[in-house]
Amino acid sequence: MEIRDNDNICIFAPLGERLDKYESERLINEISKETRQIGIDLKYVYDCTIDFIELLKESSKLKQIAIFNIPSDIFVLFNIMKLDKVVNLYVSENDFESHTRRIINRQFELV
């Protein structure tokens, strides 16, 4: 896991291609120790398990977490599970740092 930090931002980048239960718990343990603003870079991740999503939901109740560089397969899963309501989703690291262009799934319906 790669950890990049600035004065008020800490970015965690898992280097494995899959976020399973072990990697997810390790990531969440590191996040729980951090007091600054937290971002998770999913640039190298191509698959995640339900354990990652559940741990992310639980930890987002305690801390505000942002995710960026999300692969399309995982992004579809996040939208289906309505994770954008719990965690801030961004396209790139620059968007996360400047708090612009947050991805929100509006789910409009025709009446």
Side-chain angles (χ1 to χ4, degrees):
M1 179 180 342
E2 178 184 2
I3 301 174
R4 301 185 305 261
D5 55 352
N6 293 339
D7 295 332
N8 58 354
I9 296 174
C10 187
I11 298 172
F12 295 91
L15 297 176
E17 292 183 357
R18 185 166 194 245
L19 281 173
D20 56 2
K21 185 174 182 174
Y22 173 75
E23 290 293 325
S24 302
E25 288 176 349
R26 194 171 142 217
L27 177 66
I28 297 301
N29 284 337
E30 290 294 324
I31 286 174
S32 65
K33 298 174 188 174
E34 195 58 50
T35 58
R36 296 173 284 184
Q37 185 178 3
I38 299 167
I40 300 175
D41 186 359
L42 296 181
K43 183 183 352 179
Y44 302 112
V45 178
Y46 295 105
D47 186 26
C48 68
T49 62
I50 191 70
D51 298 317
F52 171 69
I53 294 172
E54 293 299 324
L55 286 172
L56 196 60
K57 282 182 180 179
E58 288 178 24
S59 64
S60 66
K61 293 176 184 175
L62 304 174
K63 295 181 182 262
Q64 185 174 1
I65 299 173
I67 300 176
F68 53 90
N69 290 334
I70 308 166
S72 60
D73 295 340
I74 296 175
F75 181 68
V76 169
L77 184 63
F78 285 176
N79 280 333
I80 291 171
M81 298 195 70
K82 299 179 182 172
L83 204 63
D84 62 323
K85 309 299 184 217
V86 180
V87 178
N88 296 331
L89 303 178
Y90 295 96
V91 174
S92 68
E93 186 173 345
N94 292 335
D95 294 342
F96 164 66
E97 290 175 354
S98 62
H99 299 291
T100 57
R101 293 183 267 184
R102 183 175 166 210
I103 302 172
I104 300 173
N105 186 5
R106 302 267 187 213
Q107 297 184 1
F108 292 116
E109 293 182 14
L110 292 175
V111 180

